[in-house]
Amino acid sequence: MNIFNFFEAEFQAISNDLKGAGTIPETVDVSKVVFELPRNATHGDIACNAAMVLAKQAKMKPRELAELLAGRLAGCDGVTRVDIAGPGFININVEPRLWSAELRCILAAGTQYGRNDRGAGKSVNIEYVSANPTGPLHAAHARGAVLGDALAGLLEFSGWKVTREYYVNDAGGQVDILAHSVYLRYLEALGETIDTIPPGLYPGAYLKDVGVALAARDGDRYLALDEDKWLNPVRQFAIDAMMAIIRKDLVKLGVEMDVFSSEKALVEGGAVQAAIDRLQQDGHLYCGVLEPPKGKEPEDWEPREQLLFRATAFGDDTDRPLQKSDGGWTYFSSDVAYHLDKLERTGGRLINVFGVDHGGYVKRMMAAVEALSGRKNMLDIKLCQLVNLMENGKPVKMSKRAGNFVTVRDVVNAVGADVIRFIMLTRRSDQTLDFDYAKVTEQSRDNPVFYVQYAHARCSSVLRQAGTMPDEANLDILTMPAELALIKQLVSWPRIVVAAATTHEPHRIAFYLMDLASAFHSLWTAGRGNPALRFMLDDDAELTAARLWLVKATATVIRSALNVLAIPARDEM
RNA sequence: GCGCUCGUAGCUCAGCUGGAUAGAGCACUAGACUACGAAUCUAGGGGUCGGGAGUUCGAAUCUUCCCGAGCGCGCCA
C-alpha cells in the first residue's frame, strides 16, 4: 500500500464518519483532497489540502475544519504529529517506518514499481511521426517520434492498451512529385544525363539509389511509355523504397510501430465516401460559399460553392471544405475518413502527435472527431515545437534547396538513440528545444542523460563492490535526513507516472529522473565529508545492509523510469 | 485581420491541472578530491512570473483586454 493511498483511504473513512455524525453535510465531495509531499521539507512529511478544499462545502472556516480533521488524522497509524499551517494546510509527520515500508514495496515490485491501472485495459491509439514518404526522416521528426513513443510507453505503464500507429500519406500530390523525381533518377541510371533537377521536384541524392534499383528491377520498360502508363508503378516503387528507409530510421531510434496505415488504401477502399456519407446523414454537411480569410486574401481567390463540414458547430472558426475544385477530396476529408477508421478500429481514445506547422489543423480535427464519435475529448493532439540543431552553440546550417538536411540517421550515428530519446524530453513538447551535439555527449552535470546514467552506474558500482546483497535488512533504521529525502523522492515515482500519463506529458519523467539522480548524488557525496554517511560501513553490518537496499531501490526506480522511456540503464559509464 | 503555441532569475528551463516564503541547472562568489564514493557535492547573492483589470480564503496557473515572439489561415500534405 502506497503511503499516499494509505492516507487517502484513512481520510475517506474519516469523512464518512463525519458525514454519519452530521458534522459535515452528506454532499461534500472529497475528490479534490490530496495528500502529497510538501515542497518545503520543514512543513513535515505529508501535507493535506482538505480543509481549504472542503471549507466552503462544509460551511466551516478552513482553520476550524483543519482542527477537526487534524484531530482525527493524529490517530492514524504511524502519525507522530499533526500541525496546521498557513491558510489551513494539515501537515503530518510520520514515523520513519512508514517510509521504509514503502521501500520494501519498491524492492518487491522491482522495475514494475510505479505501474498503475488507471487505463484499465482500455484502448488508446497514438499516431505519431507520419512523415510523408518522400525521403528519410530528418532531425525534426525525431522529436515527434520520441514524444509519441514515450507517451506510448507511459500509457502502457498506466494500464492502457496502446496502438502505435504511423499514417502513410501515400496518396495525393506529394507522392506524384516523388514519382517524377524518381523517374528522372531512373533515366539517369539508364545512362541519360540529368543536368539539374527541375524546381518543384525532390533533388535529394538519396533518390539516385532508388532510380538505380528501379532500373535494376524493371529494366528499360518505362522508357518509351507515356506518363500515365509509368506513373503508377514508379510511384509505388518509390513509396515502398522511402518507407523502407523510414522504417530503418525508426528502428535506429528505437521506435517500433504496431500499424502503418495507408492513405491510398483508405481512399481506394471507399472510406472517404463512407465517412462523408456518415457526416451527411448526421447533418454535419452542407453546400455553401466560404468567405475569404480576412487580412490576407489569396490572389487567386474565387468564391465558389462547395461541400462544407459544419466545423463551427464544434468550436472551429470556420467551416471546412471537403472537395477540391477538380472534384477530388481535400486532405482534410481523407483525414476525416482516417480518424473514423481509427475510432472504429481502436474503439477508444485517440492521440495525435503533430508538428507545430499543423497547429492550424487542430481545431478542425477535434471538431471532426467530435462529430464522428458523438463525444468530446476522444482526441488529444500534442503539438511538437521545433528542434534547433546546434554545434557548440552555433546553429547547424542546412540547405533545403540542395536537399541536404540533417537526418535522424545522422543524429543517431553521432550521439546514439538513448541520448536523443532523453534530450528530446528535457523540454515540454510545446517549447522549442536546442539540441547541441557537443553538449548532449558531454560527460558532466550539464548533460542530463549523463547525469542520470551516472547515478545509476554509481548505484551499480556500490552493489558490485558489496558483492552479494544481504538477505534481510532492517530498513527502519534509515532515518537520516538525506536518506529520507532520497526515499521520499523514490516514493514519488508512482504519482509522477499518474500525473504524466493523465496530462500526456512524458517530459515529466525526464525531469523526475534528474531530480532523483540529484538526490542520490547528494547522498553519495555526503559520505565523502562524513564517513558515517557512507553506504558501506566496516563496523555496522545492520546499517550497511539497510543502505545497500536503499541503493538497490534507487537503481530500481531509475531503471523503471528509464524503461518507460525505452532507454536502457547503464551499469558503467 | 483571425486562430493556435508561448512570455517565469543575466542565460536555459521546471512549476505536480488553484495552494504555503515562486524552484532547478548554467554562469558568478566561497568551499569539499585516496578518481566508478569529486565526471560529483555544499553554501551564497540574484525575481514587479511581459503589463493592466477581474474571479476567491488564495492566481505563475482560471477569465478578459493590451504588449511582444513563433506558427498557421479554400483548390499542399
Side-chain angles (χ1 to χ4, degrees), chain A residues 337-358:
Chain A
Y338 175 50
H339 280 76
L340 177 58
D341 178 59
K342 279 198 289 188
L343 281 170
E344 288 175 343
R345 255 189 303 125
T346 304
R349 299 190 159 206
L350 309 178
I351 299 174
N352 292 351
V353 177
F354 282 174
V356 269
D357 51 330
H358 286 60

Side-chain angles (χ1 to χ4, degrees), chain A residues 379-397:
Chain A
L379 172 66
D380 184 24
I381 297 180
K382 302 296 290 180
L383 284 187
C384 233
Q385 259 291 358
L386 304 173
V387 176
N388 301 316
L389 285 178
M390 318 279 272
E391 178 79 56
N392 277 316
K394 290 181 182 170
V396 174
K397 291 260 190 274

Side-chain angles (χ1 to χ4, degrees), chain A residues 150-165:
Chain A
L151 204 44
L154 177 59
L155 290 177
E156 275 176 346
F157 205 57
S158 294
W160 293 85
K161 186 174 175 296
V162 176
T163 304
R164 297 162 167 83
E165 184 153 336

